[in-house]
Amino acid sequence: MSAPAAPATPSSIDDLPPAIEVRGVRRVYKAKPNPVTALDGVDLDVAPGELFGLLGPNGAGKTTLIKILTTLLLPTDGTARVFGFDVARQTTEIRRIMNIVSGGEQSGYGLLQVREQLWMFSQFYGIPVREGWRRVDELIDAVGLQEQRHQKISSLSTGQRQKLNLARGLMNDPWILFLDEPTLGLDVSAARVVRDLVRGWQAAVPGRTILLTSHYMAEVDELCDRLAIVDHGRILALGTPTELKQRVSAGSIFRLVLDALEGGVEPIAALPGVERAVLAADDATAPDGQTVAVNLQLTDDAVLGSVITALAAQDAHIVALQKSEPTLEDVFVELVGRGFGDAPEGDR
Amino acid sequence: MTQLAGSQARPQRDARGTWQERLLTWRTAVRLGWAVESNWADPVLFLIYSIAKPIASVLMLVVMLQVISNGAASTADLGFVIVGSALWAFVMGGIAGLAWSILDDRERYRMLRYLAILPGSLSVILLGRGTARLLIAGMGSVITLVVACLITGVPIDIGRIDWIMLLVCMAIGLVAVIALGTLMAAVCMQTRQDSWSYPEAVAGALFLLVGAVFPIVVLPQVVQWVGLLMPLTWWIEGIRRAVLPDAASGIGGVGSVWTDVTGTLAPDQGVILVVSMATTAMATLVAFGGYRWSERRARERGLLDRTTGS
């Protein structure tokens, strides 16, 4: 399966304003007994062409931010702009250039056929009739619903509905696509299809921007150029996945298994760039008693070369070498003090 | 795919929906509404809900009238009831059609959020969605009128129908029904899914106020005033006058507020048209303002994409 045919590459995207510009956005829901603050002074910039992720547990405020940016909800305070257009006042302009795909829902006119519903939306977006049908078929092929094109929507599986939803979201070929938990509830294979399609669509034309919310860390890690970790309506950290993970590890972590280590770990720990070198506490010696494991924390992968040289000088031979990296969940745990699964409330 | 080509491709900052765009949006929404309704309404269901039900309602009223009058109801009296209640199916379809579009798209199909983020106005889309129900209800009204007249022997003399009056009144009435439907849609945008019954409840209440099946002179004076301010009262009176010139007036009569205030037994055609237009204009303004307020409030409170059911 491939993404729909790409148009010619634009000459430049340099003169485009920021795809997303959020300043001091607060959103408070009236609720009993107390109001709920879903967003609490969010500032965010996303450049054209970025695939930006919002990562956070349920109730973090991700969906609320997307609703504000897609003009479905007004902020209580602050301003938000999409490609320079104000979400509160310039809704028509924004709606022409964006679209949203939400996951985990059963939306769709169940009595219509797949092709019929997509065509309706092509008309709502003002695409000429013939071009509309061409585009409908192109998108159906792209999302892999060829066999279901004449099937009623009510008979589609969850994954097929989500693909249909994605096709609808791409109908107007938006400049910016908001993906709100797009793979929620999908099996591994369907989620892969959605991710591949999204990536292919974005890569086809420079400037196409995606804001992805998810609580699947691997998905965000795999797809996003940059991401923000959100919790309780605040952005806790922002950067590339690598940058964020480095905040936790402050370097690279390796586990070495050696056939022997006569001189101990101290000479290794003293090497420049080695932040920590310790015998592994769990199984410092292998069951056969002939190997020894060492955990290393290095400032950079490149330091590993000098470590290997030092080990060779001690006549220690490497039996196994494993690099272990911190995950985004580690970042979240360090920032928040709890894991995703411990989130106290439903998503907003 | 269309091209994202730098600043030239950006929408103009003063871009607003043109009339052509609105027309396309409305037309597409009509098609969407018709596709959804016609899929739902297989021939048997369509016959039951759009024809059999209103015909049964009319005939029940006719039987009740005959029982109350010991079988002495004249064809003019029967015509009065038949025209009023046949038109009511149209009113019901119009009011409920727009309001149910909100509830259907939000609660059942869960598509309201995707309609709300379209460049076209949501009100135009809802109007288009409601138009399908209005068309179905209109067909039901016409069929009910013809069948009921044939069954009861009420003579409709095509040669005596005032076609101009009929057409003008229908046009004004259409606007009035849409205005009331828009107002109900504005209400349903704010309420939970339990509000499915609101449009029928409101239409039922109006049924008693506007002289659909009995002259409003039988109502208390205060309620008569309310009835006189309703555009539907004048619309039904105008249609009745155009189709059945001999039918009694639903508005005036001895002891009525109308007669007390104007000194005339019944309004003439000119007055009916003028008041009909004035009250419809008023209702349209209220509906327009109410809908705008409601949509704004829905955006403030996040009501456009909520689902209140399971």
Side-chain angles (χ1 to χ4, degrees), chain A:
Chain A
M1 191 194 67
S2 63
T9 305
S11 54
S12 168
I13 59 169
D14 295 340
D15 53 349
L16 288 172
I20 294 172
E21 197 178 3
V22 176
R23 292 288 174 269
V25 162
R26 288 185 78 244
R27 173 67 215 191
V28 180
Y29 288 101
K30 290 179 182 170
K32 290 177 181 174
N34 298 311
V36 176
T37 303
L39 292 175
D40 193 6
V42 169
D43 294 311
L44 182 66
D45 287 284
V46 176
E50 266 195 297
L51 204 166
F52 190 92
L54 287 175
L55 182 64
N58 292 338
K62 311 181 298 284
T63 299
T64 296
L65 183 57
I66 282 214
K67 282 185 186 178
I68 287 172
L69 292 169
T70 54
T71 74
L72 283 169
L73 183 68
L74 288 168
T76 308
D77 288 308
T79 58
R81 292 178 173 274
V82 175
F83 279 100
F85 298 118
D86 188 290
V87 296
R89 292 180 294 106
Q90 294 174 293
T91 53
T92 306
E93 290 85 341
I94 291 176
R95 289 168 184 175
R96 286 184 205 282
I97 59 168
M98 66 90 184
N99 217 320
I100 178 174
V101 176
S102 299
E105 58 178 36
Q106 292 292 307
S107 62
Y109 294 102
L111 293 159
L112 299 189
Q113 295 175 4
V114 166
R115 211 164 171 257
E116 230 177 340
Q117 175 165 306
L118 286 175
W119 186 78
M120 295 287 182
F121 273 88
S122 78
Q123 296 309 288
F124 279 132
Y125 280 109
I127 300 172
V129 175
R130 189 173 296 180
E131 168 67 11
W133 282 120
R134 190 194 64 73
R135 181 132 181 82
V136 166
D137 289 333
E138 181 185 42
L139 286 167
I140 284 175
D141 290 346
V143 298
L145 285 176
Q146 296 94 327
E147 288 177 19
Q148 289 78 31
R149 71 177 66 220
H150 296 299
Q151 208 168 305
K152 283 191 176 174
I153 291 168
S154 57
S155 66
L156 298 181
S157 68
T158 304
Q160 289 166 341
R161 276 194 189 225
Q162 190 56 1
K163 288 177 183 175
L164 171 66
N165 200 8
L166 186 58
R168 180 204 49 73
L170 297 176
M171 181 59 71
N172 61 329
D173 197 15
W175 296 16
I176 180 163
L177 182 61
F178 295 92
L179 299 172
D180 190 11
E181 305 275 7
T183 56
L184 190 65
L186 300 188
D187 60 34
V188 174
S189 144
R192 168 64 53 195
V193 168
V194 169
R195 282 198 287 268
D196 287 348
L197 184 71
V198 164
R199 206 170 9 213
W201 173 81
Q202 195 212 14
V205 176
R208 282 179 176 165
T209 310
I210 292 175
L211 182 71
L212 167 77
T213 75
S214 179
H215 62 269
Y216 296 140
M217 284 150 295
E219 183 171 87
V220 173
D221 199 353
E222 177 191 339
L223 287 174
C224 295
D225 304 319
R226 284 196 309 143
L227 68 111
I229 293 180
V230 246
D231 189 44
H232 288 111
R234 288 174 174 273
I235 291 182
L236 303 179
L238 194 149
T240 65
T242 309
E243 284 169 354
L244 289 175
K245 285 184 280 191
Q246 278 175 348
R247 286 175 61 141
V248 172
S249 67
S252 306
I253 297 171
F254 290 93
R255 180 184 176 85
L256 289 176
V257 179
L258 308 167
D259 61 350
L261 190 61
E262 300 291 333
V265 292
E266 290 76 17
I268 308 297
L271 290 171
V274 176
E275 296 196 332
R276 198 160 54 99
V278 291
L279 288 173
D282 49 354
D283 56 349
T285 54
D288 59 6
Q290 293 178 353
T291 57
V292 60
V294 178
N295 286 338
L296 292 171
Q297 186 173 344
L298 311 178
T299 53
D300 193 81
D301 287 2
V303 177
L304 190 59
S306 58
V307 171
I308 292 170
T309 306
L311 287 171
Q314 290 188 42
D315 204 24
H317 299 103
I318 297 173
V319 177
L321 169 64
Q322 184 184 14
K323 182 177 183 183
S324 59
E325 289 203 357
T327 65
L328 288 172
E329 183 163 22
D330 295 328
V331 182
F332 185 84
V333 170
E334 179 165 299
L335 289 168
V336 180
R338 61 177 165 81
F340 270 27
D342 307 328
E345 54 188 318
D347 203 5
R348 290 194 173 276

Side-chain angles (χ1 to χ4, degrees), chain B residues 214-289:
Chain B
F214 52 78
I216 62 174
V217 65
V218 302
L219 298 169
Q221 289 225 331
V222 177
V223 184
Q224 283 188 51
W225 275 108
V226 177
L228 289 173
L229 289 171
M230 301 298 303
L232 298 180
T233 308
W234 299 90
W235 170 59
I236 290 175
E237 181 71 6
I239 298 287
R240 204 178 266 139
R241 208 63 81 77
V243 177
L244 296 170
D246 300 328
S249 169
I251 291 174
V254 178
S256 68
V257 166
W258 173 262
T259 301
D260 289 351
V261 172
T262 65
T264 60
L265 267 179
D268 62 29
Q269 287 194 354
V271 170
I272 290 171
L273 285 177
V274 168
V275 181
S276 187
M277 279 191 271
T279 50
T280 297
M282 210 162 60
T284 306
L285 278 176
V286 172
F288 184 70

Side-chain angles (χ1 to χ4, degrees), chain B residues 26-102:
Chain B
W26 176 80
R27 213 172 55 196
T28 307
V30 173
R31 291 185 70 149
L32 173 62
W34 185 259
V36 172
E37 298 301 326
S38 63
N39 269 323
W40 169 79
D42 67 42
V44 175
L45 286 176
F46 177 82
L47 282 173
I48 291 173
Y49 282 97
S50 299
I51 298 172
K53 188 181 162 197
I55 288 176
S57 302
V58 172
L59 293 181
M60 264 167 47
L61 287 169
V62 167
V63 169
M64 285 164 67
L65 183 62
Q66 291 289 21
V67 169
I68 292 166
S69 64
N70 286 324
S74 65
T75 52
D77 292 337
L78 292 175
F80 185 99
V81 170
I82 288 170
V83 170
S85 49
L87 286 175
W88 209 249
F90 182 69
V91 173
M92 197 78 96
I95 293 180
L98 268 87
W100 284 347
S101 296
I102 291 269

